[in-house]
Amino acid sequence: MTFGLPILVFTLIFSCNDVSGCPAPSLLNPKSLTLDKLAQDVAWPGFAGLVNWQASIAVVAYYALTFVFYGVLPAQIVEGGPLPNSGVKLTYRFNSESLRWHLSPCRLTSDTGFTTSMAFLAILGVGTAVYGASFPVYTFIWDNYIQIISANMLIAFGLATYVYVNSFSIRPGKPTVPPHRELAAGGISGSVIYDWFMGRELNPPVWIPGLGYVEIKTYMELRPGMTGWMILAIAFAAKQYQNYGRFTDAMLLVTAGELMYILDAHWNESSILQQIDITTDGFGFMLAFGDLAWLPFVYSLQGRYLAVHPVNLGVFGVVGVLTVQGLGYYIFRASNGQKTVFRMQPNDPSVRNLSYIQTKHGSKLLTSGWWGAARHINYLGDWIMSWSWSLPTGIAGYVIQDSFPFRSNAGLAKDKASLIRNDQSLTGGKEVMPGDARGWGMVITYFYLLYFAVLLIHRERRDDEKCQRKYGKDWDEYKRQVPSRIVPGIY
Ligand code: NDP
């Protein structure tokens, strides 16, 4: 997985490009496939070309800027859950104080934590106002995309190695610097590779100049990667505008949907303190790579596709996608919100009358409302939402060729007609059309929702094991009362 995951990310990115097509045409003709042809089709820069100084410096500067915002923007201090061994509650700084809104009737949030993303949006807003779609941040991202990915992967490798080595400074019975550092139960097998991958330390600190020790796992969970995804989503929309002089409805839907998801996560930032990643998992390569490389570059594949191949959905398509998105978001937000309110403000009128099991451990488990419908109904909402980011790419796939080669092939003529109708053309005398690639691009643009289904099914089982260990017979009783895992009555 350590080497397979980076290769998979690069495969998804290289095979869908603005040079030859999506997927690259030679991949569709395995019989005549040669390495040279493939390298040409995917614009392979050579191993040395996977990195460059400009991208590496820009990525490091970007991380530094996230730390600056973290340090200077107004913040509130939030208490985390008790640490597994000592029971001590660590405190976390979330940039939120200035935006502490209470939307009680909507139960949207208790606190907000997205001033950093607002600061980045403000920078992008000013840059766009001055330079339009050619704002150098956008063009730099597009032109150095591969090298930006490599730089983030290298940071993930470096960070995972640093926290692994540093975790050996935790010694039984000795005070740690800073205090209250703990090892993660799942990352102390003794196998170097396994522990490096899973994460030996639960709450690893990293010394940041001017800030002191920052608990880096919580920081990485929602900061550079998630905010980076937001910047990528906007840069891809700008690229479509640069290519075609307009935004298609599909691009607007994908970008708005992703931004909503990201800002929602930042708005509810402190709720990650309850998540299994924070309370139980160690911080190793799995989380570092997931947060910094996998999430921003795999979750944004659809926008990158639409930047090159514009899709027009029309009124019915837009309404359909919005319905899917609205349904998913409603289930996702309402169920997560209900649990948060129930746990933090049990006397709130919206949850006061819900039935629950009082566990011997002390916590209460809801058995009605959303959490009485399925044990992870929130995952269902999240997964439904993921459809709304892939559906706008339609029956995906395109080939790129020189403008209007006027071949007599009937299929091409049809493509050409649709091309003219949709006003599709790339600058530089190139045309983008479905051609033989039609449908094959879905392997890339629908990858996210397939992967996400696997992630959520696996995550539910991990959480089930965790709760079984924690609650024992009370968890058996909850499972008896709420038999469905994710989809009520089906799974
Ligand atoms: P959940 O929000 O699903 O919380 C699970 C925990 O809630 C359990 O461990 C238990 O913790 C508590 N719990 C379980 N059942 C009940 C109940 N009936 N009543 C009250 N509390 C209960 O955790 P996740 O971190 O997995 O997910 C949070 C959100 O993040 C989800 O919407 C998910 O879809 C999303 N997510 C998105 C990802 C992405 O890549 N886009 C990745 C991962 C998650 P306790 O020990 O406190 O009782």
Side-chain angles (χ1 to χ4, degrees):
M1 285 175 82
T2 299
F3 294 108
L5 288 173
I7 291 172
L8 179 56
V9 172
F10 277 129
T11 304
L12 291 166
I13 300 294
F14 274 114
S15 61
C16 186
N17 59 61
D18 64 349
V19 177
S20 61
C22 181
S26 48
L27 291 172
L28 296 178
N29 300 298
K31 283 192 186 138
S32 57
L33 180 69
T34 63
L35 272 183
D36 282 348
K37 178 85 187 81
L38 186 62
Q40 198 186 344
D41 268 7
V42 302
W44 173 247
F47 284 105
L50 291 178
V51 285
N52 69 23
W53 280 112
Q54 302 90 293
S56 305
I57 291 169
V59 169
V60 171
Y62 162 70
Y63 277 67
L65 192 55
T66 67
F67 280 116
V68 171
F69 286 151
Y70 171 78
V72 301
L73 290 174
Q76 62 165 328
I77 304 299
V78 179
E79 210 174 53
L83 291 172
N85 294 336
S86 63
V88 166
K89 291 182 177 177
L90 295 181
T91 52
Y92 297 83
R93 178 183 169 89
F94 290 115
N95 297 117
S96 41
E97 203 164 69
S98 66
L99 288 163
R100 187 191 273 252
W101 293 353
H102 291 276
L103 300 177
S104 315
C106 313
R107 302 282 161 251
L108 269 177
T109 182
S110 47
D111 298 300
T112 65
F114 70 163
T115 44
T116 296
S117 41
M118 287 296 122
F120 277 107
L121 280 181
I123 294 173
L124 297 184
V126 171
T128 310
V130 176
Y131 296 99
S134 305
F135 180 34
V137 169
Y138 304 145
T139 50
F140 183 86
I141 288 174
W142 192 266
D143 295 343
N144 296 276
Y145 200 57
I146 299 295
Q147 295 79 9
I148 290 174
I149 298 174
S150 305
N152 280 283
M153 285 182 180
L154 289 174
I155 290 176
F157 271 94
L159 191 56
T161 307
Y162 173 77
V163 293
Y164 174 78
V165 172
N166 198 36
S167 71
F168 287 94
S169 59
I170 303 176
R171 296 208 181 82
K174 296 253 167 77
T176 57
V177 181
H180 313 308
R181 291 169 58 196
E182 292 195 7
L183 296 176
I188 45 174
S189 69
S191 155
V192 175
I193 294 177
Y194 183 83
D195 294 350
W196 172 83
F197 186 87
M198 297 303 292
R200 257 190 118 238
E201 188 166 348
L202 181 71
N203 49 350
V206 170
W207 174 265
I208 305 292
L211 292 176
Y213 285 110
V214 174
E215 201 275 73
I216 208 69
K217 180 174 75 172
T218 308
Y219 187 84
M220 291 299 166
E221 188 89 355
L222 283 184
R223 297 300 180 105
M226 200 84 166
T227 313
W229 175 19
M230 176 184 81
I231 297 170
L232 295 182
I234 295 171
F236 294 150
K239 183 67 183 176
Q240 185 184 68
Y241 196 87
Q242 243 192 336
N243 281 342
Y244 300 101
R246 70 198 165 98
F247 299 115
T248 61
D249 49 15
M251 179 56 109
L252 290 175
L253 278 178
V254 167
T255 312
E258 292 183 1
L259 289 194
M260 185 178 80
Y261 190 78
I262 296 162
L263 294 176
D264 176 272
H266 284 156
W267 177 275
N268 295 293
E269 191 177 29
S270 55
S271 67
I272 61 160
L273 295 177
Q274 321 297 330
Q275 288 195 3
I276 194 169
D277 317 23
I278 303 299
T279 59
T280 316
D281 293 341
F283 186 60
F285 182 73
M286 182 178 79
L287 277 184
F289 186 83
D291 293 343
L292 305 181
W294 184 266
L295 181 142
F297 300 104
V298 172
Y299 287 25
S300 60
L301 285 169
Q302 300 88 339
R304 185 167 170 270
Y305 172 90
L306 291 172
V308 181
H309 185 254
V311 173
N312 295 295
L313 295 172
V315 177
F316 289 115
V318 170
V319 171
V321 170
L322 282 177
T323 307
V324 173
Q325 173 137 23
L327 175 70
Y329 184 74
Y330 174 62
I331 298 174
F332 166 82
R333 182 44 48 222
S335 55
N336 281 321
Q338 188 172 69
K339 177 157 71 75
T340 306
V341 174
F342 176 72
R343 282 283 171 91
M344 298 176 92
Q345 301 155 332
N347 292 324
D348 190 279
S350 68
V351 294
R352 206 170 36 208
N353 298 323
L354 294 176
S355 59
Y356 59 84
I357 295 172
Q358 173 65 62
T359 66
K360 290 189 191 60
H361 184 278
S363 321
K364 292 171 180 162
L365 295 172
L366 278 167
T367 51
S368 64
W370 287 105
W371 298 80
R375 300 198 297 271
H376 267 103
I377 189 85
N378 53 345
Y379 290 179
L380 177 65
D382 212 346
W383 191 63
I384 292 175
M385 242 192 305
S386 71
W387 276 85
S388 68
W389 305 340
S390 292
L391 285 174
T393 64
I395 311 293
Y398 59 78
V399 288
I400 297 180
Q401 51 196 30
D402 292 333
S403 290
F404 300 100
F406 290 115
R407 283 198 264 145
S408 54
N409 175 316
L412 260 182
K414 221 167 99 199
D415 281 347
K416 190 158 75 69
S418 100
L419 196 76
I420 295 165
R421 221 178 22 254
N422 289 318
D423 187 25
Q424 296 180 8
S425 65
L426 272 178
T427 49
K430 298 280 183 188
E431 301 294 344
V432 181
M433 54 175 67
D436 293 341
R438 191 179 165 78
W440 288 102
M442 293 169 80
V443 174
I444 288 136
T445 62
Y446 289 71
F447 175 83
Y448 171 67
L449 69 85
L450 285 182
Y451 144 79
F452 201 41
V454 174
L455 177 140
L456 293 174
I457 288 170
H458 179 243
R459 195 173 172 92
E460 187 278 327
R461 286 178 185 255
R462 264 181 359 119
D463 194 54
D464 184 55
E465 276 172 29
K466 181 211 104 176
C467 291
Q468 188 72 56
R469 269 199 311 275
K470 183 171 175 183
Y471 295 121
K473 288 209 167 60
D474 290 325
W475 191 249
D476 291 333
E477 175 55 20
Y478 176 47
K479 290 201 319 197
R480 196 190 61 75
Q481 290 192 32
V482 185
S484 299
R485 289 173 186 270
I486 297 176
V487 189
I490 297 177
Y491 176 74

